Amino acid sequence: MEIIPLTIIIILVLGFLRIMFSATSDYTGEYIIRHFVNRYLLIRPIKLEHLHILERKSEYYQNLNEANKRLFAKRVGKFISMKKFIARGNLKEVTDEMKTLIAASAIKITFGYPAIYFQSFWKIIIYPEAYYSTITKKRHHGEINLRGLMVFSWKRFKEGYENYEDGVNLALHEMAHALIAENRTNNYEFDFLNNENLIAFDDYFKVEKEKILKDDKSFFRNYAAVNEHEFFSIVVENFFERPKELNKYDHNLYKLTSKILKQDLLTQHN
Ligand SMILES: [Zn+2]
């Protein structure tokens, strides 16, 4: 007689697992494990190989004090365990360096927000170079997409850090888009940015857009005039890559960006 309830339990468990790990859903059981179990239950240190990459290759990390270095590394380790990294195109594998530097970019921009891990973006797709999008019918270097994806061309990603003073950085650009998107997505990472600051930011967009359209020496590249989202991303790129110059160009805009990101590269040794 006991065999019947047991069979029912097995069928129910198998059915549950089938739904959890369904390949057809964008938010599968794997997402749940990564984003909830890895986030709250797995307290494991960053892998040594990832830590060594941070030490060698992340200038931001190198400039932190010891306490913040530990915090940064811990968050990088957690970010890596929360995301699924996928190689596409003719990229053979996702290397530890790719994982670490992508995670470091995410933690850098959210260092003022210790609870934010870009919950909506859990799959990170990496192409070796620019890739063709069937949606836009164009070649892209990077994008975020609310189906849960962050996408990067590794070539362009690396170029962003090789010229770390020109205010152009793909990783920071896309992470800034992700920050705004995450803030607007109704999940437990919802509405963490101060709305008044974001509204104030839009006034700067109007000013800079005018300057760009009139060819009146804006500090920012022309793409910043496309819309307020592109403007925000480009300001963030400059905030990290050339804070002194941005501060000199427009102190109030620098301060506002610093308030939004809750970090100030000029006054703190982080
Ligand atoms: Zn953009």
Side-chain angles (χ1 to χ4, degrees):
M1 281 296 131
E2 280 176 13
I3 199 137
I4 294 170
L6 188 65
T7 313
I8 292 171
I9 289 168
I10 290 172
I11 289 170
L12 286 176
V13 168
L14 287 176
F16 177 69
L17 290 174
R18 173 80 184 80
I19 294 165
M20 286 273 286
F21 290 92
S22 156
T24 55
S25 162
D26 278 334
Y27 291 94
T28 59
E30 188 183 350
Y31 165 76
I32 293 167
I33 288 172
R34 284 182 183 277
H35 256 269
F36 296 93
V37 179
N38 284 8
R39 182 187 183 114
Y40 294 113
L41 298 183
L42 284 188
I43 304 167
R44 63 180 174 210
I46 184 172
K47 287 184 179 168
L48 263 187
E49 54 268 39
H50 295 155
L51 182 62
H52 291 154
I53 293 164
L54 275 186
E55 285 166 348
R56 277 187 289 115
K57 303 217 162 172
S58 171
E59 202 181 303
Y60 186 92
Y61 174 83
Q62 289 160 3
N63 289 327
L64 295 173
N65 64 33
E66 286 310 311
N68 279 334
K69 269 184 183 164
R70 279 196 294 280
L71 178 63
F72 191 90
K74 189 174 149 203
R75 292 198 60 202
V76 164
K78 194 180 249 192
F79 184 94
I80 291 172
S81 70
M82 286 168 70
K83 309 296 175 188
K84 181 171 188 167
F85 293 84
I86 303 166
R88 283 272 169 83
N90 52 13
L91 188 71
K92 286 198 185 75
E93 59 161 345
V94 178
T95 63
D96 282 329
E97 177 174 321
M98 290 171 180
K99 288 181 188 176
T100 309
L101 296 183
I102 290 171
S105 302
I107 300 308
K108 179 157 68 175
I109 195 171
T110 59
F111 205 51
Y113 293 91
I116 299 299
Y117 283 89
F118 297 108
Q119 185 196 349
S120 303
F121 305 97
W122 77 285
K123 283 184 188 171
I124 299 180
I125 293 177
I126 306 157
Y127 287 87
E129 295 186 7
Y131 56 92
Y132 182 75
S133 163
T134 48
I135 298 167
T136 61
K137 313 270 185 241
K138 285 181 187 163
R139 287 178 74 74
H140 286 251
H141 297 283
E143 68 193 280
I144 58 150
N145 164 329
L146 280 170
R147 282 181 304 137
L149 307 176
M150 283 184 181
V151 189
F152 298 106
S153 133
W154 186 244
K155 181 169 182 278
R156 188 56 69 93
F157 183 103
K158 274 196 306 187
E159 284 167 3
Y161 284 102
E162 277 157 11
N163 309 311
Y164 199 63
E165 277 165 5
D166 60 357
V168 182
N169 185 299
L170 173 73
L172 293 170
H173 185 96
E174 297 306 331
M175 293 297 171
H177 282 320
L179 195 74
I180 296 294
E182 197 64 77
N183 186 55
R184 290 180 177 174
T185 305
N186 200 352
N187 56 25
Y188 69 82
E189 292 185 350
F190 174 60
D191 202 21
F192 54 92
L193 300 174
N194 177 304
N195 203 37
E196 276 172 29
N197 289 339
L198 293 179
I199 291 168
F201 210 87
D202 286 348
D203 292 337
Y204 288 93
F205 167 62
K206 288 175 197 134
V207 172
E208 295 301 324
K209 183 180 174 184
E210 274 301 297
K211 279 193 186 177
I212 291 170
L213 295 180
K214 287 184 184 158
D215 213 3
D216 188 16
K217 291 193 180 135
S218 171
F219 181 73
F220 305 103
R221 61 187 189 268
N222 290 354
Y223 195 57
V226 169
N227 60 40
E228 57 270 49
H229 297 302
E230 297 308 335
F231 178 66
F232 179 73
S233 281
I234 289 172
V235 173
V236 167
E237 289 173 77
N238 282 283
F239 178 81
F240 284 103
E241 288 211 346
R242 19 182 214 172
K244 277 189 203 134
E245 292 84 345
L246 176 60
N247 185 49
K248 200 170 158 202
Y249 173 71
D250 189 331
H251 175 68
N252 291 332
L253 176 57
Y254 176 86
K255 277 281 161 210
L256 181 60
T257 313
S258 162
K259 257 199 220 169
I260 291 174
L261 297 178
K262 292 193 179 171
Q263 53 182 315
D264 185 343
L265 300 174
L266 297 180
T267 58
Q268 72 195 31
H269 284 286
N270 289 296

